[in-house]
Every structure is written in C-alpha cells, then in structure tokens.
Amino acid sequence: AGVDLASAGRFTVTSCRLNVVLTGISVADPRGVLVENTEVSAINFIAGSMGIRLGNPPVTTPSSVAMACGCTVTGFDIGVSIGGEAPTVTGCKVFPGTNATVGIIVGPSTDAVVSGNLVDCDQNAGLVGLRADASSADITGLKVTNNTFFGARAYGIDLQGSVQESVVSGNVIDCNDTSNPNDPAALAGIYVHVAGAPTRVPSYLTVSGNVVWRARTGIVLEGGGVTTPILEVAATGNVVHHCAVGVAGSPTTLFETSTGIGAVHCAGLNLSANEVYGIGAILTDAGAVVQPTPADVYANGVYLQYCTSSAVVGNRVADLQPKGGGKVAGIYSETPGSVTF
C-alpha cells in the first residue's frame, strides 16, 4: 500500500502521486484525516483493490471526520470507500478498473457527504457508480448531491438496505454504453432496494432534481414484500428520459420493461413534478434516436405495484416508444385503490 494506517488524527495527504498494486491510501480509524489533490493509480487491475479507504471498518466517534477532496483515482476495483462519522468525498474524479465493482462506496455511517464528483465507469465497463451499502448496519443522513455518474453497467446509484433519512439530489446519471448504445446493460440509473435481512429496507428518503437516462429503467424503488415495504420516499422534480430495454416475447421482471420510474412494495411514496419522456428508445451521442435490438419493447412512464398510502401527482409523461408486440402505459398501478392520482 502507498499509505496504510490503523489510526490517524489531524493527518493530511496532499498533492501526492501514488502508483500502487492493491491499496493506495487506507486509514481504518480516521480522526481528522484529509486527502486532497492527490492522484492514486493502480499499476494493474486486481479484484478487491482499493484506491482510497477512509473509515472502513467504520468508526462512529464524533472525531472520526475524514475527507477526500479533489483527488483522481484510477484503475481500482473500488475507487473510494468511506464510513463512520461525517466522512466526505468532494470534487474527486474516479475512473474504475476493468469490470470494477464500484466507483464510490459508502459503508455504515452517519451524515456522509458525496458531492461534486465525477465517476466514469464507461472507459473500463465498471458496474456501479456509487453504492450505499446498509445491508448489515445503518446509513443515516447520507447526502449524494451534484455528482455525475457515467457509463455504469449495472446501476448509476445503488442504495441498498437500511439507508435512512438521506438525500439523492441534483445528480446526472447517464448509463450510456458507448460500445453498444442500442442495448444498455445498466438495469437502473437509480436503484433503491432491500438488502441483507428482509427488514433492512430504505426509509425516509428524498430523490429529487436528478437527471437519469440511457439505462434500462430510470429510477426503481423495490421493497422486500407486502410486510416490508420501502417507507416514505419522495421522488420529486426528476427528469428521466430515453431509458430502454427490449425482449423477445413478454418481460418477466421490471428490468425487462423500459420504465421511467418504477416502484414495487412501497408505502408512503410521493411521486410529484417528475418529467418522464422518450422511454422505450435511446438518444445517442450523435443525436439519433434508436430502439433496442430485440423484437419487443414494453414502455411505462410510471409503474407501481403493491404500493400503499402513496401519491402520484403533477408528473409529466410523454413520447413513450413501444416496439413490436410491446405494450405501453403512461402511468400504471396494480393497486389503484391505495394510490392517489
């Protein structure tokens, strides 16, 4: 490792250049650590490699503040990993390695901030732009704001497990696969879902003002079941456009249906003032609008299943583009008695 410390307080790494094999900078117990304007590069891609790790395993003492600011991290399986009390990643550029797991990962933490970063997964077909992993312990007060996530092959933003009282706002998520623009590999631009135990569901989230496009689906919220729904999510003011996937025949999962905003097993959901258009087709960099290769494209603007005490109000859905035998629905709900329109 370039820098590997079990604990550090009032410690700064600034304006350095590190070329390493497995781990660039690792501080398991950061207590006032700042990593700024530093370049960290992997010599060769290795599964499990990590560029910057601050606070993992997490530390929850008030003095465990750690910051990564203005860094460039290139070629790792995990670009930046943070956890603990009030860690921050701002103004960084992350270029994950070949088929890498994730650009930025947030572990169990309180009041983490991920803001103003660029994660470019397209160069090496990285899987996930940002993952908040609360499958085993809670994440509370996370703020993911004003980032750009490009080219992810699975999810632009993945919130899993007990992510609570958190905000995802003002981000641009473009899951374009430049090697195969007609058929996106990414399942969703933003995916919020249960993980770990069935009761570890996200709750009290705001997903607002994001621009999501060129994945199979735009924003998907998926609870654990009728008795373990996602609770109290407000998805407002988002723009979701040109998401598409094709199938031969009938879809068997939501991710086989071109969907702008999808919600399954949610309670207290508020979908309002969102703009959804161009679903069922992909807008290429060259400006052409193309459809997926398979024969059938099913296109939904907003799709709800088993959602209760929820509201869908003031959204604009337009220009849905089915193909072949695919069906189309502007707003579809399997539980209309439990949803206010």
Side-chain angles (χ1 to χ4, degrees):
V3 177
D4 188 0
L5 300 174
S7 179
R10 296 185 179 181
F11 179 79
T12 299
V13 179
T14 184
S15 302
C16 296
R17 181 174 295 173
L18 304 175
N19 295 312
V20 300
V21 175
L22 190 59
T23 303
I25 298 170
S26 176
V27 185
D29 183 0
R31 299 174 181 270
V33 170
L34 171 62
V35 182
E36 64 177 351
N37 302 327
T38 290
E39 297 181 14
V40 185
S41 301
I43 295 172
N44 295 298
F45 177 79
I46 298 176
S49 61
M50 195 174 301
I52 298 174
R53 184 183 78 162
L54 300 176
N56 188 10
V59 178
T60 57
T61 57
S63 60
S64 64
V65 175
M67 300 179 67
C69 304
C71 297
T72 300
V73 182
T74 304
F76 293 92
D77 193 26
I78 298 171
V80 179
S81 174
I82 59 172
E85 179 76 16
T88 300
V89 182
T90 61
C92 294
K93 297 179 181 179
V94 182
F95 303 93
T98 304
N99 303 126
T101 300
V102 62
I104 299 172
I105 187 165
V106 181
S109 56
T110 57
D111 300 325
V113 174
V114 180
S115 183
N117 304 284
L118 167 67
V119 180
D120 186 349
C121 295
D122 186 57
Q123 291 187 11
N124 297 305
L127 297 179
V128 178
L130 176 138
R131 171 168 289 142
D133 185 358
S135 58
S136 60
D138 294 351
I139 293 173
T140 303
L142 170 65
K143 294 180 176 62
V144 180
T145 61
N146 302 319
N147 303 281
T148 298
F149 301 100
F150 182 70
R153 298 302 196 264
Y155 311 110
I157 296 176
D158 176 24
L159 305 186
Q160 58 180 38
S162 295
V163 182
Q164 306 169 350
E165 300 173 9
S166 297
V167 174
V168 176
S169 182
N171 302 284
V172 175
I173 301 104
D174 177 4
C175 294
N176 185 39
D177 179 353
T178 54
S179 66
N180 189 17
N182 288 52
D183 298 294
L187 299 179
I190 299 175
Y191 186 33
V192 181
H193 60 106
V194 64
T199 56
R200 299 201 65 81
V201 296
S203 60
Y204 300 96
L205 306 180
T206 298
V207 180
S208 65
N210 302 286
V211 177
V212 184
W213 61 315
R214 298 199 286 199
R216 296 182 179 188
T217 62
I219 300 172
V220 173
L221 314 170
E222 188 172 24
V226 174
T227 60
T228 54
I230 289 178
L231 299 173
E232 303 292 337
V233 174
T236 63
N238 300 286
V239 176
V240 182
H241 68 99
H242 293 102
C243 293
V245 61
V247 294
S250 299
T252 58
T253 73
L254 182 59
F255 296 120
E256 293 179 346
T257 301
S258 306
T259 299
I261 301 175
V264 181
H265 294 303
C266 294
L269 174 67
N270 174 21
L271 301 181
S272 62
N274 298 289
E275 185 173 1
V276 180
Y277 64 93
I279 304 302
I282 296 295
L283 177 62
T284 67
D285 287 340
V289 176
V290 299
Q291 287 196 290
T293 304
D296 304 304
V297 173
Y298 290 69
N300 296 314
V302 176
Y303 177 93
L304 305 178
Q305 187 177 38
Y306 309 121
C307 293
T308 60
S309 303
S310 298
V312 180
V313 179
N315 302 282
R316 177 180 177 270
V317 179
D319 192 26
L320 304 181
Q321 301 191 33
K323 175 185 173 185
K327 299 179 180 179
V328 62
I331 299 176
Y332 175 87
S333 174
E334 285 199 6
T335 51
S338 300
V339 179
T340 301
F341 295 96

